[in-house]
Amino acid sequence: MKSFKSKKSKVLLTCLAVILIVSILCVTLAGCKKPLAGETPLGVYFVGDFQKDVSPEKLAEITRDGEEIVSIATALNKAEVDYKSNPAAAAAAIYATAVTNYNNVTQTGYYVLTDALVNARGTNVGSAEVGIRSTYSSFTGKNGSFSQTVSGVTKLEGLGSFVENLRSNFGYNIQSFNNSNFSANKRGPNGGAQFPSEADDADVYKYILGAYNRDLSSTNKGKNVNIVPANQQSDEKPLPEYEQPAGAKYPDNSTLAGKTLPSFNKNREAWEPLNRIPARYWDGDKIIENHAVVEGTRYSYGTYGAGFAVYDFSRPEYLSDDTKVTYDPDLDLWTVEVAVKSDFVQQACEFAAGDLVKDTKDYIGLKNAAYTEISCKFEVYGDGLIKSMQKRDVLNSNEKCPLTVAGGILGDCKGGGTSSNTATMAFSYSDSDTDANRLAALYWPELGAEKIFKDNKADTSFKLDLSGYDDFNSYKPVVNDLLKSFKNLFEKK
């Protein structure tokens, strides 16, 4: 009698054995240090000038030529909306104005820390849950742009010890820099992402959002780094405004199939509904929408005019009267707590769903997933600049989904979703926070020396002048006083 019923079973056992051997080696050799996932202190969202407003003079200085920044009072007045009697319409106008204004300033700093719990039901080993923590940051100012992503797995449960021991192998760690002379990007090794608390690491505030990967700083040559002179970068044709035909429907294999796409307004005012802009690329003269496809389900992703704006909260008809709008005259600050009508949750969260599916596809391929919960609170200064945003998403699928974690060897599951996906975003517009050279001096100082350019066969004259900037050792970050007035939606009770 044969011990196994099929060749597939033999392959599965072989794969499990290989993973088990690798995991044992990782633990034995201490080559796979477990990621440290402490309680990230709230102060990381208030380092330097983050969440501070700017003076009228500074705002005028950083406003793009030919554009204007619309204040919230002006927006509500033009929209003829009273925030006390009609909070849904007021919230929509405030959101639209904040997104529009964000695009009309020349220097911005923005970062977000996300915690997601991805669950799978009915797997070969029962139920499983994966915790993912990621940080994304983007800074653009007069010296160019700097960006960093650090992510890691904080939890692997229900998948067996052979997979759980590999927790530190998952993650994504990248940095990028570009100015008028060159662009540079590098990717560090997977895993090992560190998310310390104040008790774990006294230097927690020195890191962007308190997150780091020690090996990322030593990844400075070879295939992990790419340096391209500005004059050799691809000269892509500028994308026109995307305009879908009036009455156009979502694709048949989309989660919103049959529903009408929001209309496009070429001449919209700042406070009016935002335009839906899918991620897209040129194919000759044809514009192709870029979709994420899982098991025949098409998820769209894109924005409503700014990188952080993946929700459409700009349409009053989407929002319920449970939406709350308050104003603090001492801080000149508007706070909006969004409540979306159940009939419009999928439309309002279309791109957010695509992003969530894309970000979690390495763990589970969600099919026809729908939002079951969305809550969001954001703050906007009276001058129209966004200060912060906090959100919680719950996405669920009751259909058979591929369980892609551990290379897909665990097969399919009977359903799953993001049982809780929370994110906190913070914004800054100051010279210091948006200075790409200052950030390079702290987190990629090798760009200030010739060696990295020589190693990558690039012009050594591209090296940055980082004199006068703090290096990591001398950097003494300061958490500003606005922390005292911040209410954390996700504070553990």
Side-chain angles (χ1 to χ4, degrees), residues 29 59 66 79 109-110 129 158 231 246 355 421 436 487:
L29 300 177
L59 184 55
Y110 150 60
E129 191 167 58
N231 60 8
D355 272 350
N421 182 75
K487 181 181 178 182

PDB file of all heavy atoms in Angstrom, residues 29 59 66 79 109-110 129 158 231 246 355 421 436 487:
ATOM      1  N   LEU A  29      21.269  29.222  13.455  1.00  0.00           N
ATOM      2  CA  LEU A  29      22.392  30.083  13.099  1.00  0.00           C
ATOM      3  C   LEU A  29      22.146  31.547  13.441  1.00  0.00           C
ATOM      4  O   LEU A  29      22.989  32.389  13.209  1.00  0.00           O
ATOM      5  CB  LEU A  29      22.676  29.956  11.596  1.00  0.00           C
ATOM      6  CG  LEU A  29      23.033  28.542  11.110  1.00  0.00           C
ATOM      7  CD1 LEU A  29      23.211  28.541   9.599  1.00  0.00           C
ATOM      8  CD2 LEU A  29      24.302  28.048  11.787  1.00  0.00           C
ATOM      9  N   LEU A  59       3.069  79.823   3.356  1.00  0.00           N
ATOM     10  CA  LEU A  59       2.104  79.202   2.457  1.00  0.00           C
ATOM     11  C   LEU A  59       2.134  79.865   1.075  1.00  0.00           C
ATOM     12  O   LEU A  59       2.101  79.180   0.048  1.00  0.00           O
ATOM     13  CB  LEU A  59       0.700  79.280   3.051  1.00  0.00           C
ATOM     14  CG  LEU A  59      -0.411  78.582   2.263  1.00  0.00           C
ATOM     15  CD1 LEU A  59      -0.076  77.122   2.009  1.00  0.00           C
ATOM     16  CD2 LEU A  59      -1.739  78.708   2.997  1.00  0.00           C
ATOM     17  N   GLY A  66       0.581  79.975 -10.445  1.00  0.00           N
ATOM     18  CA  GLY A  66      -0.678  79.846 -11.161  1.00  0.00           C
ATOM     19  C   GLY A  66      -1.779  79.136 -10.396  1.00  0.00           C
ATOM     20  O   GLY A  66      -2.901  79.008 -10.901  1.00  0.00           O
ATOM     21  N   ALA A  79     -19.543  76.683  -1.330  1.00  0.00           N
ATOM     22  CA  ALA A  79     -20.417  75.521  -1.487  1.00  0.00           C
ATOM     23  C   ALA A  79     -21.780  75.743  -0.855  1.00  0.00           C
ATOM     24  O   ALA A  79     -22.685  74.916  -1.014  1.00  0.00           O
ATOM     25  CB  ALA A  79     -19.764  74.293  -0.859  1.00  0.00           C
ATOM     26  N   GLY A 109       5.692  66.760   3.093  1.00  0.00           N
ATOM     27  CA  GLY A 109       6.192  65.564   3.754  1.00  0.00           C
ATOM     28  C   GLY A 109       4.982  64.772   4.215  1.00  0.00           C
ATOM     29  O   GLY A 109       4.037  65.330   4.776  1.00  0.00           O
ATOM     30  N   TYR A 110       5.012  63.483   3.972  1.00  0.00           N
ATOM     31  CA  TYR A 110       3.838  62.669   4.275  1.00  0.00           C
ATOM     32  C   TYR A 110       4.312  61.267   4.660  1.00  0.00           C
ATOM     33  O   TYR A 110       5.188  60.706   4.006  1.00  0.00           O
ATOM     34  CB  TYR A 110       2.932  62.630   3.042  1.00  0.00           C
ATOM     35  CG  TYR A 110       2.093  61.395   2.856  1.00  0.00           C
ATOM     36  CD1 TYR A 110       1.167  60.999   3.807  1.00  0.00           C
ATOM     37  CD2 TYR A 110       2.211  60.624   1.696  1.00  0.00           C
ATOM     38  CE1 TYR A 110       0.379  59.872   3.624  1.00  0.00           C
ATOM     39  CE2 TYR A 110       1.430  59.496   1.500  1.00  0.00           C
ATOM     40  CZ  TYR A 110       0.517  59.125   2.468  1.00  0.00           C
ATOM     41  OH  TYR A 110      -0.240  58.009   2.292  1.00  0.00           O
ATOM     42  N   GLU A 129      -3.797  33.492  10.712  1.00  0.00           N
ATOM     43  CA  GLU A 129      -3.797  34.956  10.786  1.00  0.00           C
ATOM     44  C   GLU A 129      -2.367  35.474  10.632  1.00  0.00           C
ATOM     45  O   GLU A 129      -1.439  34.946  11.238  1.00  0.00           O
ATOM     46  CB  GLU A 129      -4.391  35.431  12.104  1.00  0.00           C
ATOM     47  CG  GLU A 129      -4.660  36.924  12.137  1.00  0.00           C
ATOM     48  CD  GLU A 129      -5.524  37.320  13.321  1.00  0.00           C
ATOM     49  OE1 GLU A 129      -5.115  37.042  14.463  1.00  0.00           O
ATOM     50  OE2 GLU A 129      -6.601  37.900  13.105  1.00  0.00           O
ATOM     51  N   GLY A 158      -1.351  29.910  13.210  1.00  0.00           N
ATOM     52  CA  GLY A 158      -2.240  28.942  12.590  1.00  0.00           C
ATOM     53  C   GLY A 158      -1.680  28.312  11.337  1.00  0.00           C
ATOM     54  O   GLY A 158      -2.390  27.576  10.645  1.00  0.00           O
ATOM     55  N   ASN A 231      19.340  62.653 -17.315  1.00  0.00           N
ATOM     56  CA  ASN A 231      19.190  62.707 -18.771  1.00  0.00           C
ATOM     57  C   ASN A 231      19.064  61.329 -19.414  1.00  0.00           C
ATOM     58  O   ASN A 231      18.892  61.227 -20.629  1.00  0.00           O
ATOM     59  CB  ASN A 231      20.355  63.474 -19.412  1.00  0.00           C
ATOM     60  CG  ASN A 231      21.708  62.848 -19.139  1.00  0.00           C
ATOM     61  OD1 ASN A 231      21.783  61.745 -18.594  1.00  0.00           O
ATOM     62  ND2 ASN A 231      22.768  63.540 -19.509  1.00  0.00           N
ATOM     63  N   ALA A 246     -19.350  59.574 -20.432  1.00  0.00           N
ATOM     64  CA  ALA A 246     -20.519  59.760 -19.570  1.00  0.00           C
ATOM     65  C   ALA A 246     -21.321  58.470 -19.500  1.00  0.00           C
ATOM     66  O   ALA A 246     -21.580  57.821 -20.522  1.00  0.00           O
ATOM     67  CB  ALA A 246     -21.380  60.892 -20.107  1.00  0.00           C
ATOM     68  N   ASP A 355      -5.837  48.663  -3.175  1.00  0.00           N
ATOM     69  CA  ASP A 355      -4.558  48.780  -2.458  1.00  0.00           C
ATOM     70  C   ASP A 355      -4.404  47.677  -1.419  1.00  0.00           C
ATOM     71  O   ASP A 355      -3.332  47.076  -1.271  1.00  0.00           O
ATOM     72  CB  ASP A 355      -4.452  50.141  -1.773  1.00  0.00           C
ATOM     73  CG  ASP A 355      -3.852  51.203  -2.673  1.00  0.00           C
ATOM     74  OD1 ASP A 355      -3.342  50.847  -3.746  1.00  0.00           O
ATOM     75  OD2 ASP A 355      -3.911  52.387  -2.309  1.00  0.00           O
ATOM     76  N   ASN A 421      -7.530  46.653   9.647  1.00  0.00           N
ATOM     77  CA  ASN A 421      -6.450  47.356   8.965  1.00  0.00           C
ATOM     78  C   ASN A 421      -6.508  48.813   9.420  1.00  0.00           C
ATOM     79  O   ASN A 421      -7.449  49.535   9.082  1.00  0.00           O
ATOM     80  CB  ASN A 421      -6.622  47.269   7.451  1.00  0.00           C
ATOM     81  CG  ASN A 421      -5.493  47.948   6.703  1.00  0.00           C
ATOM     82  OD1 ASN A 421      -4.393  47.420   6.619  1.00  0.00           O
ATOM     83  ND2 ASN A 421      -5.763  49.128   6.165  1.00  0.00           N
ATOM     84  N   ALA A 436      15.227  66.756   1.088  1.00  0.00           N
ATOM     85  CA  ALA A 436      15.711  65.411   0.732  1.00  0.00           C
ATOM     86  C   ALA A 436      17.171  65.213   1.116  1.00  0.00           C
ATOM     87  O   ALA A 436      17.584  64.105   1.483  1.00  0.00           O
ATOM     88  CB  ALA A 436      15.521  65.178  -0.767  1.00  0.00           C
ATOM     89  N   LYS A 487      -5.900  63.075  19.533  1.00  0.00           N
ATOM     90  CA  LYS A 487      -6.676  61.946  20.011  1.00  0.00           C
ATOM     91  C   LYS A 487      -6.437  60.746  19.099  1.00  0.00           C
ATOM     92  O   LYS A 487      -6.735  60.793  17.911  1.00  0.00           O
ATOM     93  CB  LYS A 487      -8.169  62.276  20.034  1.00  0.00           C
ATOM     94  CG  LYS A 487      -9.036  61.143  20.558  1.00  0.00           C
ATOM     95  CD  LYS A 487     -10.508  61.511  20.547  1.00  0.00           C
ATOM     96  CE  LYS A 487     -11.371  60.344  21.034  1.00  0.00           C
ATOM     97  NZ  LYS A 487     -12.815  60.675  20.994  1.00  0.00           N
TER      98      LYS A 487
END
